Amino acid sequence: MGLHVMGFKTRFSGHKQTFNNRSQQNKTELSKKVWALKDAGTPFEISWHIVKQSRAYQGGGKTCNLCTSEKYHILKNPNSINRRSEMTAKCRHSNKYLVKNV
């Protein structure tokens, strides 16, 4: 389960890089899992699908629909490789609207 403001193609391209470059094997939880399978010689197949499309935080808003949606789907799928620490993480999309970043 993942989220990205720029869209699926950008996120997918980044994941492909982490699957092919060992120097980036620890960049995401998914790449760690892929490299563990590769090292063990275990055949695997990854299928991708968009679970939900949501809008990211908009300046002046109280919540980020993108982060809220991801947290909901992490709770709904307990076998996900996402970490529970993501549930309490602050929305990173609101940072660009802070006065110090304008």
Side-chain angles (χ1 to χ4, degrees), residues 47-93:
S47 62
W48 303 87
H49 63 277
I50 296 173
V51 175
K52 181 174 173 74
Q53 291 184 339
S54 298
R55 295 188 70 135
Y57 179 83
Q58 304 258 321
K62 293 188 185 275
T63 61
C64 175
N65 292 334
L66 197 55
C67 289
T68 302
S69 180
E70 182 187 35
K71 290 173 184 181
Y72 168 77
H73 287 288
I74 291 172
L75 283 174
K76 189 176 168 186
N77 300 301
N79 295 327
S80 168
I81 62 172
N82 294 80
R83 291 172 283 166
R84 292 289 178 198
S85 62
E86 294 177 36
M87 298 300 298
T88 58
K90 181 184 176 299
C91 170
R92 66 190 128 199
H93 305 107

Side-chain angles (χ1 to χ4, degrees), residues 21-64:
N21 299 323
R22 186 166 290 276
S23 64
Q24 295 183 359
Q25 72 182 16
N26 294 319
K27 197 167 185 178
T28 66
E29 290 300 312
L30 182 57
S31 62
K32 289 177 190 175
K33 184 75 168 173
V34 166
W35 280 101
L37 292 170
K38 282 183 175 186
D39 290 343
T42 306
F44 64 92
E45 182 178 316
I46 298 174
S47 62
W48 303 87
H49 63 277
I50 296 173
V51 175
K52 181 174 173 74
Q53 291 184 339
S54 298
R55 295 188 70 135
Y57 179 83
Q58 304 258 321
K62 293 188 185 275
T63 61
C64 175

